[in-house]
Amino acid sequence: MSHRVWLLLLAVGTFAIGTDGYVIAGLLPEMAHDLDVTESAAGQFVTVFALAYAIGAPVLGLAIGNLPRRPVLIGSLALFVVSNVAAALVDSYGTMLAVRVLAAIAAAVFTPAAAAAVPALVPAEERGRALGTVGAGIAIATAAGVPLGTLIGGAFGWRTTFLFVAGLSVVATAGLVLMLPPLPPEPAIGLRARLSVARTRGVPATLGLTMLWISGAFTVLTYMSPVLNAVGGIHGGALSIWLMVFGLAAVGGNALGGRAADRYPTTRLMVISTCGLTLALASFGALGSLGVHGSLGAGLAAVALVVWGIFGWSFAPVQQHRLVELAPESAGIVLSLNASAIYIGISLGGFLGSLALDRSGVPAVGWTAAGLELMAVITATAIAVHARRHPHHGTDTASKTRPSHTDDSPLPL
């Protein structure tokens, strides 16, 4: 069977997880009202999920790292089905928080395992595009799953949306059971060795950049519904349209980033991606501060979402590609660390967005996000400068001039 089919199956799994993780942004007002909490409190469903994921990814990776990857992928996605059915049945804020932790545990196992399976499924010269394909499940979730889930929630209630996500997960699980080939486990590596990977030259700074990048994005994304309602009167069914615009741009950005990572230095690409995302997030602060609203605000918000989708989502496959280059013999470990950095950033963004929304309103949400992203730009620039000055401290630009990678040379940066 072609490796493309296997990659698409993994992408279906990440699509289900991405829909579950991001759809809360479109359901926030309804969930807050039904569970009798504020919108900022409901946003903590995202924060709790992210924290549980951040802690669970490395711990569970250590606990099950020596198991065959096929049953790990299938079992974790099956647990994800259970968690989403439970989310549709809860009737209290505290119980919902617990259910989100369960969903995070399942996602913390599946997502890094799916990314780590890529090197075993594809040749080295296609690794960037393959990572982009698996990551496209998340991007497509923002384009199709989240808008559709928001529409379903608006028409039939937010609980039905979680049943919809459970159905997607069942389909993905069945596909993996039927068609995913056996995948060998990674070599058993102890805690000391894993910590050694975390200290690999270039890895700590790259993980810090990941955290800053995603925290800026999720400061706004967690509270997308109140932000878009304030700047453009976008709510209800219209919210799904704007989320779809964002998602389609994200799909394009993800594909662009995957292809670019196979051709250009990833250190430069990281600077470009974070600069574009900073401008997009700052625009939400500017729209709020200037009091822009109505059709003008709605149109400008759509432009900002397109820029965000393209630049923000191009970053993900680029970053994964770089981390695999820095620690090619420990891809699963370093990608699980990256997943933890992502979810620490998500929790930080959700928390800071909640504070900004409660204390200063929508403009502060946008400006807080832009401030975090500006720190990401500074970090990315420092990494790029260091890589240029010290090309032998990691792969660098020279090998990008070759049309493909070879087995006896490191992947280019």
Side-chain angles (χ1 to χ4, degrees), residues 142-143 146-148 150-151 228 234-249 298 302 305-306:
T142 66
V146 172
L148 182 57
T150 302
L151 277 176
L228 291 181
I234 303 164
H235 60 276
L239 177 62
S240 299
I241 298 174
W242 264 253
L243 290 174
M244 185 174 294
V245 168
F246 173 64
L248 290 172
L305 289 174
V306 169

Side-chain angles (χ1 to χ4, degrees), residues 24-25 27-49 93 97 218-227 346-362 365:
I24 287 179
L27 303 176
L28 207 60
E30 292 80 7
M31 293 181 72
H33 180 268
D34 194 25
L35 297 175
D36 195 25
V37 295
T38 64
E39 289 186 1
S40 60
Q44 299 311 304
F45 294 141
V46 176
T47 300
V48 168
F49 180 100
Y93 180 72
L97 288 173
F218 265 79
T219 298
V220 173
L221 186 57
T222 304
Y223 301 98
M224 184 76 82
S225 181
V227 168
I346 289 174
S347 65
L348 177 62
F351 175 71
L352 293 177
S354 174
L355 288 180
L357 185 63
D358 274 346
R359 297 183 179 182
S360 304
V362 164
V365 174

Side-chain angles (χ1 to χ4, degrees), residues 10-374:
L10 295 176
V12 171
T14 59
F15 172 78
I17 289 174
T19 300
D20 175 79
Y22 297 150
V23 77
I24 287 179
L27 303 176
L28 207 60
E30 292 80 7
M31 293 181 72
H33 180 268
D34 194 25
L35 297 175
D36 195 25
V37 295
T38 64
E39 289 186 1
S40 60
Q44 299 311 304
F45 294 141
V46 176
T47 300
V48 168
F49 180 100
L51 281 174
Y53 189 115
I55 296 170
V59 172
L60 293 171
L62 180 62
I64 65 176
N66 61 342
L67 297 178
R69 284 181 243 181
R70 185 177 187 274
V72 166
L73 288 165
I74 293 171
S76 59
L77 204 53
L79 178 61
F80 195 71
V81 173
V82 173
S83 69
N84 276 277
V85 172
L89 302 176
V90 301
D91 58 1
S92 72
Y93 180 72
T95 306
M96 186 63 175
L97 288 173
V99 168
R100 296 306 293 162
V101 170
L102 181 65
I105 290 172
V109 173
F110 181 86
T111 306
V118 168
L121 293 173
V122 302
E125 65 270 15
E126 298 180 21
R127 189 174 294 164
R129 279 169 287 178
L131 287 169
T133 298
V134 175
I138 302 290
I140 294 172
T142 66
V146 172
L148 182 57
T150 302
L151 277 176
I152 291 173
F156 304 104
W158 63 268
R159 298 175 189 277
T160 309
T161 299
F162 284 99
L163 291 177
F164 164 69
V165 172
L168 287 175
S169 303
V170 168
V171 171
T173 304
L176 292 175
V177 169
L178 293 174
M179 288 181 276
L180 187 67
L183 294 170
E186 293 185 87
I189 301 177
L191 178 59
R192 181 175 298 179
R194 288 172 181 268
L195 292 175
S196 177
V197 172
R199 294 192 297 267
T200 300
R201 187 184 298 274
V203 169
T206 304
L207 294 176
L209 175 58
T210 292
M211 186 184 70
L212 289 170
W213 156 70
I214 200 69
S215 64
F218 265 79
T219 298
V220 173
L221 186 57
T222 304
Y223 301 98
M224 184 76 82
S225 181
V227 168
L228 291 181
N229 189 36
V231 302
I234 303 164
H235 60 276
L239 177 62
S240 299
I241 298 174
W242 264 253
L243 290 174
M244 185 174 294
V245 168
F246 173 64
L248 290 172
V251 171
N254 186 83
L256 180 64
R259 290 184 176 274
D262 285 327
R263 298 183 59 188
Y264 304 105
T266 52
T267 50
R268 296 180 188 174
L269 295 175
M270 291 187 300
V271 175
I272 294 171
S273 295
T274 51
C275 282
L277 182 53
T278 300
L279 292 175
L281 296 176
S283 67
F284 289 104
L287 290 174
S289 296
L290 295 173
V292 178
H293 59 277
S295 58
L296 176 60
L300 293 175
V303 173
L305 289 174
V306 169
V307 174
W308 179 354
I310 293 173
F311 283 92
W313 279 95
S314 67
F315 181 92
V318 169
Q319 190 76 330
Q320 287 183 320
H321 197 282
R322 172 170 170 76
L323 285 165
V324 172
E325 292 168 349
L326 292 172
E329 301 303 320
S330 305
I333 297 173
V334 77
L335 289 174
S336 71
L337 292 172
N338 190 56
S340 290
I342 286 174
Y343 281 91
I344 290 172
I346 289 174
S347 65
L348 177 62
F351 175 71
L352 293 177
S354 174
L355 288 180
L357 185 63
D358 274 346
R359 297 183 179 182
S360 304
V362 164
V365 174
W367 291 124
T368 300
L372 288 167
E373 210 60 48
L374 181 59

